[in-house]
Amino acid sequence: MCGLVGIAGAAPAREEVAAMLATIRHRGPDGHGCRVTAGAAFGHARLAIVDLSEAGAQPMCTPDGRYTLVYNGELYNHADFRPALEAEGVCFRGHSDTETLLWLLVRHGAAVLPRLNGIFAFAFHDALTDTLLLARDQLGVKPLYYARGRDGRLLFASEIKALFATGEVEPRANVEDLVELFLFHFIAGERTAFATVTELLPGHLLQRADGRVRVAEYWTPVTAAREGPCDGAAASTPEAAAGALRDRVRDAVHRQLMADVPIGVMSSGGIDSGLVTAFATRGAARLRGFSFRDTAHDYDEFHEACRLGELFGVDVAPVTIAPDEVPAVLERAAWHYDEPIPRPHFLAAYAVARDARATGLKVLMSGEGGDEVFGGYTRYAELLAAMCATGDESALVFAHNRVALPRLARLWPGQRFGNAFRFWCAAETAGLDLVNRQLLVDQRTFLQHFLQRSDRMGMAASVEVRVPLLDPWLVEHANRLPGSAKIEGTHTKRGLKAAARTVLPASVFDRPKRGFDMPMAPLLEQGPVAAYLDDLLLAQPRCGVLFESSAIAAFVRDLRAGEAELWKVAWMLLATEVWMRTFNVTV
């Protein structure tokens, strides 16, 4: 796990790439490197997890200096490729997955991408032909952003802020899509909160040759769903199906235990993190777990996490944030997240990573993705019933937080939602059953902001967050299953629950579902967080260029009066204000 930066075109200077790298040093405190060629420059911040020696340092080059790789992530199946590469004459210097990936790209180029199992974003350059390949993992666990600089240059980085370091890219707000951010907590598709910055989408690659850029998709979660059951996805009995899924989850977790450093777990006591914990601890030394709690506001999964921890040999520690800490944590998280912090639980995720790092851990395993892959949200069942009854399939696009529209109308009179990416995702799934259509649209959209949380908040504390339930081979298997194997009537996550029943205690299945959260409504109504909100929003706020200041003041007044659910938009106003101040955002 690391961070990368780079510039392609027009004689980049070492000073430029060094300035970019300085903004993301937190992603890799274990080493920093730069390489400059005639047509490109690269920087890398290393978090050493596999092959801690200098043989794993980056930028990594071939012995003749022709090829250069900077890489962020983990390639879990890299050892599978080594025998063939060695048979072809490759002499490895170490045992890092970076070195394996370098030679795979030398030998096979972009054609190898669909065969990779891991979380990754990388830049690969051929100095002889001056061609550049950027790529991002299938589900989008690791980030990669790019922007146009002067004289046709291409700037790219693991985090947006690095693109501003040379002065070529302006931190200008993407006003057109801000309503999407307020509605859904992130901007879907390749656009970001900055009008000048583009995100390389999951499962996509970017190639630059002769100054021209081409972006293409090499993997999509929809393909497996359209292929239907194969490779054991359909079993003769329910017990066999549960066993096949359980084996795949176990294998995914075991693949992601690849590390030369200790690994911890994010513990909630639920099914997803429970399965990850159970399989991560089989035959392993006692692990550390971390569970966020806010007992003052009735959010506490610590005791459930401890019960599972006792069963599987995990010592679970509680993680808390005091109310008077929230403003400082928000400002720190805003710097690391690069865009407005969309939900309060992002701060809780940062606190978990911070506490894990304080114990010396560099890697945490998470149960992220289980709901979007296996159908865990109750809204899937509710919307399925509504869509079947009415024939109205608009819920595929507007399912999440559609109730926010009336509240937002007070800030944006006449403003309409218009992000086409969600509509395109819904159209792409046409012909599939309605359960799988919901899941696939969410994998393309809603899931992505959770992955942004995992990456940014983890790396803010120099911690890699791994997500075994989003293993691409596991996701392909799940997406081949019919929707009825995931949701039937009011029963959600049927397949994964069946797979987990021989692994987890019955008490896990009896507890009501509770998502990872940080209660914020009471904090915004009174106390230090409310005072902080007033200081920022009621006296010439910077976000006043986006909304009428009088409307903001009225919104805060009604929030204090206890009007239901206003806190969600109030939080977004506060987060947007902090973001604009942090990055000196222009409009």
Side-chain angles (χ1 to χ4, degrees):
M1 184 62 62
C2 308
L4 65 89
V5 300
I7 304 170
R14 178 175 291 270
E15 294 75 18
E16 291 179 304
V17 76
M20 296 174 71
L21 185 60
T23 67
I24 63 165
R25 293 175 75 91
H26 53 276
R27 295 186 71 92
D30 296 331
H32 306 96
C34 294
R35 175 174 167 81
V36 180
T37 69
F42 307 92
H44 188 264
R46 185 185 186 197
L47 183 64
I49 292 174
V50 175
D51 193 344
L52 310 186
S53 74
E54 281 300 306
Q58 300 183 48
M60 188 175 287
C61 306
T62 51
D64 60 4
R66 174 176 173 177
Y67 299 99
T68 302
L69 174 69
V70 281
Y71 160 57
N72 166 31
E74 308 292 349
L75 185 57
Y76 299 122
N77 66 332
H78 83 102
D80 297 343
F81 296 104
R82 285 209 162 203
L85 289 170
E86 288 172 329
E88 294 172 4
V90 174
C91 295
F92 289 103
R93 296 174 55 243
H95 66 272
S96 74
D97 53 325
T98 306
E99 192 174 13
T100 307
L101 179 59
L102 171 65
W103 285 105
L104 282 173
L105 293 169
V106 169
R107 293 288 192 264
H108 306 289
V112 79
L113 289 172
R115 299 168 59 195
L116 304 182
N117 184 309
I119 53 176
F120 58 83
F122 67 76
F124 175 71
H125 184 249
D126 182 345
L128 181 64
T129 61
D130 191 22
T131 55
L132 175 73
L133 171 66
L134 307 181
R136 192 168 171 213
D137 66 73
Q138 292 93 326
L139 274 298
V141 181
K142 304 316 301 170
L144 193 56
Y145 297 93
Y146 63 96
R148 297 286 187 171
R150 64 175 184 271
D151 301 324
R153 300 205 306 178
L154 181 73
L155 286 71
F156 52 91
S158 295
E159 295 184 9
I160 293 173
K161 66 177 71 68
L163 301 175
F164 304 140
T166 67
E168 294 179 54
V169 182
E170 178 187 0
R172 180 163 47 86
N174 172 11
V175 178
E176 182 179 343
D177 281 331
L178 278 180
V179 68
E180 158 107 343
L181 185 67
F182 272 64
L183 273 173
F184 299 104
H185 304 145
F186 81 111
I187 296 170
E190 65 179 8
R191 301 177 72 168
T192 71
F194 294 99
T196 51
V197 177
T198 302
E199 178 180 7
L200 186 64
L201 290 175
H204 279 64
L205 60 85
L206 180 152
Q207 293 174 311
R208 185 181 187 273
D210 300 322
R212 293 189 294 272
V213 169
R214 181 183 76 91
V215 176
E217 184 175 65
Y218 71 86
W219 186 93
T220 169
V222 179
T223 300
R226 292 206 178 280
E227 289 174 348
C230 63
D231 189 25
S236 56
T237 67
E239 292 76 17
L245 180 54
R246 182 170 53 251
D247 290 347
R248 289 173 180 270
V249 173
R250 179 202 60 211
D251 292 347
V253 174
H254 287 176
R255 273 193 291 274
Q256 298 198 19
L257 293 174
M258 181 188 81
D260 294 332
V261 297
I263 292 177
V265 293
M266 301 179 74
S267 304
S268 71
I271 294 170
D272 299 343
S273 70
L275 274 173
V276 171
T277 299
F279 290 129
T281 55
R282 295 290 170 88
R286 196 168 183 90
L287 301 181
R288 291 194 188 102
F290 301 85
S291 180
F292 183 77
R293 68 190 312 203
D294 182 351
T295 55
H297 300 107
D298 194 32
Y299 180 83
D300 191 1
E301 295 182 308
F302 178 65
H303 296 295
E304 288 90 346
C306 284
R307 278 194 284 271
L308 273 185
E310 291 171 1
L311 182 63
F312 296 114
V314 176
D315 297 314
V316 182
V319 178
T320 61
I321 301 177
D324 58 1
E325 275 191 281
V326 171
V329 174
L330 171 57
E331 291 177 0
R332 182 173 181 82
W335 164 253
H336 287 287
Y337 192 67
D338 290 341
E339 299 179 277
I341 298 288
R343 304 174 81 176
H345 60 63
F346 282 50
L347 308 189
Y350 166 70
V352 168
R354 177 194 63 189
D355 286 12
R357 183 65 185 189
T359 70
L361 288 175
K362 293 182 179 181
V363 180
L364 284 174
M365 302 280 269
S366 164
E368 197 71 82
D371 290 319
E372 293 82 5
V373 172
F374 297 102
Y377 298 123
T378 55
R379 65 178 167 88
Y380 290 142
E382 295 165 356
L383 294 172
L384 173 64
M387 287 188 287
C388 290
T390 66
D392 178 7
E393 297 181 0
S394 65
L396 292 168
V397 174
F398 290 106
H400 180 65
N401 215 21
R402 64 191 306 177
V403 295
L405 280 169
R407 298 194 297 273
L408 292 178
R410 296 170 54 176
L411 292 171
W412 277 304
Q415 182 76 14
R416 295 181 61 84
F417 167 76
N419 187 308
F421 185 79
R422 293 178 184 274
F423 293 97
W424 177 81
C425 289
E428 183 192 30
T429 64
L432 299 172
D433 66 68
L434 285 174
V435 169
N436 277 318
R437 293 190 72 189
Q438 290 185 75
L439 298 180
L440 289 164
V441 170
D442 269 6
Q443 288 171 29
R444 292 284 230 176
T445 58
F446 184 61
L447 174 63
Q448 297 307 310
H449 90 291
F450 286 129
L451 295 179
Q452 290 170 352
R453 179 192 71 188
S454 295
D455 175 79
R456 306 305 189 285
M457 298 301 93
M459 294 310 295
S462 304
V463 171
E464 170 181 294
V465 178
R466 296 184 177 179
V467 285
L469 298 184
L470 293 176
D471 174 284
W473 298 343
L474 176 60
V475 171
E476 288 177 343
H477 174 84
N479 285 352
R480 289 188 178 105
L481 299 173
S484 59
K486 302 161 191 174
I487 295 173
E488 190 170 68
T490 60
H491 300 288
T492 58
K493 206 180 282 187
R494 293 179 65 239
L496 193 65
K497 288 177 180 176
R501 288 196 183 277
T502 60
V503 180
L504 301 178
S507 59
V508 173
F509 303 93
D510 297 333
R511 60 177 290 210
K513 179 176 176 57
R514 192 172 195 181
F516 182 65
D517 203 0
M518 177 182 175
M520 185 55 60
L523 299 182
L524 291 173
E525 292 173 2
Q526 60 180 349
V529 182
Y532 177 68
L533 180 146
D534 289 350
D535 288 344
L536 267 60
L537 293 183
L538 298 183
Q540 297 182 323
R542 293 201 179 195
C543 66
V545 299
L546 301 170
F547 322 103
E548 288 288 341
S549 295
S550 59
I552 295 174
F555 212 94
V556 174
R557 182 188 65 241
D558 292 342
L559 172 72
R560 297 285 187 270
E563 192 168 327
E565 292 297 300
L566 286 188
W567 75 267
K568 294 180 180 179
V569 179
W571 170 265
M572 282 305 307
L573 285 170
L574 176 61
T576 301
E577 178 68 16
V578 172
W579 169 68
M580 295 188 76
R581 293 178 183 228
T582 299
F583 294 101
N584 195 24
V585 178
T586 61
V587 174

